[in-house]
C-alpha cells in the first residue's frame, strides 16, 4: 500500500487541489512569522491533511473539498475565527471532521479492515463514518486540552465547547457517510507493477 500511495501522489495529473496544496505549503512560513509557533504546528498538520487526499487518489471534487477546508481551518485558527465568528467553530467541525472521517474510512477499506463504501450498505457506512467522526473529534479535543495547558493558554477549551464540538463531529460524520459511496468511487490509484516470479 505504501508504494501505491507514493506512486499515486507523484504520477497523478495536475489537479485544482494542487493549487491549494501549494498555498498550504506557503502558509507555513507566513503563519509562523505572523502568528507564532502554535500556527506553525497547525499549518504543518494542515499540510499533511492536504497531501493525503492526493496520495489516496480520491475523486477530484472530494480532494478539493478536503484541501480547501483544511486550509481554511488552519487559517481560522491563526486568525482566531473560532472564537470571534459566531458558530464558525461548529460549522468547521461538521464539514471538515465529516470529510476527514470519510478519509479514514477509505484508508480502513484499503487496509481491508472494513468493506469498501460502494460494497457496503449506506446505513453501515454512515454509522462507520459517524463513529470515526467522534473518534477524530475526541483526539482533537484532547489535543486542544493539552495545547491549552502546556503550549498556549489562549487555546480555548471548555465543557460546553467540547461537548458541542463532539456533537458537530458526529453529525458531520453521519452526513458525509451518506455520500461516501459516491465520494469514494472512481479513484485514480497508481498501482506498482507486479513483480515477476523468479525463475
Amino acid at each position: 500500500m505504501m508504494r501505491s500511495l507514493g506512486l499515486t501522489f507523484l504520477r497523478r495529473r495536475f489537479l485544482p487541489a494542487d493549487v491549494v496544496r501549494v498555498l498550504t505549503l506557503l502558509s507555513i512560513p507566513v503563519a509562523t512569522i505572523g502568528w507564532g509557533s502554535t500556527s506553525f504546528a497547525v499549518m504543518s498538520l494542515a499540510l499533511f491533511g492536504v497531501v493525503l487526499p492526493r496520495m489516496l487518489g480520491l475523486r477530484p471534487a472530494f480532494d478539493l473539498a478536503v484541501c480547501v477546508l483544511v486550509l481554511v481551518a488552519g487559517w481560522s485558527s491563526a486568525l482566531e475565527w473560532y472564537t470571534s465568528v459566531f458558530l464558525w467553530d461548529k460549522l468547521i467541525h461538521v464539514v471538515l471532521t465529516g470529510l476527514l472521517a470519510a478519509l479514514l474510512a477509505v484508508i480502513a477499506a484499503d487496509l481491508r479492515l472494513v468493506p469498501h463504501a460502494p460494497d457496503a450498505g449506506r446505513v453501515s457506512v454512515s454509522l462507520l463514518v459517524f463513529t470515526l467522526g467522534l473518534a477524530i473529534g475526541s483526539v482533537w479535543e484532547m489535543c486542544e486540552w493539552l495545547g491549552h495547558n502546556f503550549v498556549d493558554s489562549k487555546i480555548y477549551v471548555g465543557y460546553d465547547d467540547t461537548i458541542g464540538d463532539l456533537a458537530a463531529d458526529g453529525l458531520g460524520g453521519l452526513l458525509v457517510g451518506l455520500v461516501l459511496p459516491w465520494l469514494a468511487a472512481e479513484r485514480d490509484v497508481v498501482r506498482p507493477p507486479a513483480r515477476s516470479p523468479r525463475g
Side-chain angles (χ1 to χ4, degrees):
M1 180 180 173
M2 293 304 294
R3 288 182 66 204
S4 178
L5 291 175
L7 288 172
T8 300
F9 179 83
L10 293 172
R11 295 186 183 176
R12 288 189 79 187
R13 69 187 190 283
F14 177 81
L15 297 165
D18 291 328
V19 175
V20 185
R21 281 183 262 275
V22 172
L23 290 174
T24 306
L25 180 61
L26 296 174
S27 294
I28 294 176
V30 173
T32 304
I33 293 168
W35 290 270
S37 59
T38 301
S39 293
F40 169 78
V42 170
M43 287 301 180
S44 297
L45 187 61
L47 182 62
F48 174 73
V50 300
V51 167
L52 189 57
R54 182 177 174 89
M55 296 172 76
L56 293 171
L58 296 177
R59 179 189 286 269
F62 190 3
D63 185 3
L64 182 62
V66 171
C67 290
V68 168
L69 282 162
V70 165
L71 181 58
V72 167
W75 276 110
S76 296
S77 175
L79 300 173
E80 299 183 355
W81 289 354
Y82 294 127
T83 53
S84 62
V85 178
F86 181 64
L87 291 181
W88 184 252
D89 182 42
K90 299 301 178 278
L91 176 65
I92 296 296
H93 271 274
V94 169
V95 183
L96 180 58
T97 304
L99 288 171
L100 294 178
L103 278 182
L104 275 185
V106 169
I107 293 169
D110 284 352
L111 294 172
R112 298 185 178 153
L113 299 174
V114 298
H116 282 276
D119 303 328
R122 192 175 296 272
V123 173
S124 299
V125 172
S126 296
L127 289 175
L128 170 66
V129 183
F130 166 75
T131 304
L132 291 172
L134 289 177
I136 291 170
S138 298
V139 172
W140 184 257
E141 295 303 319
M142 285 186 274
C143 289
E144 280 191 346
W145 180 86
L146 289 169
H148 173 80
N149 285 283
F150 300 107
V151 179
D152 187 348
S153 61
K154 289 190 287 188
I155 297 173
Y156 181 73
V157 294
Y159 182 79
D160 290 341
D161 177 67
T162 297
I163 296 302
D165 287 351
L166 289 173
D169 296 330
L171 176 62
L174 191 63
L175 294 176
V176 175
L178 293 172
V179 294
L180 182 57
W182 178 83
L183 290 173
E186 299 180 20
R187 291 172 62 193
D188 181 20
V189 177
V190 179
R191 306 286 180 193
R195 296 180 180 177
S196 59
R198 296 181 180 180

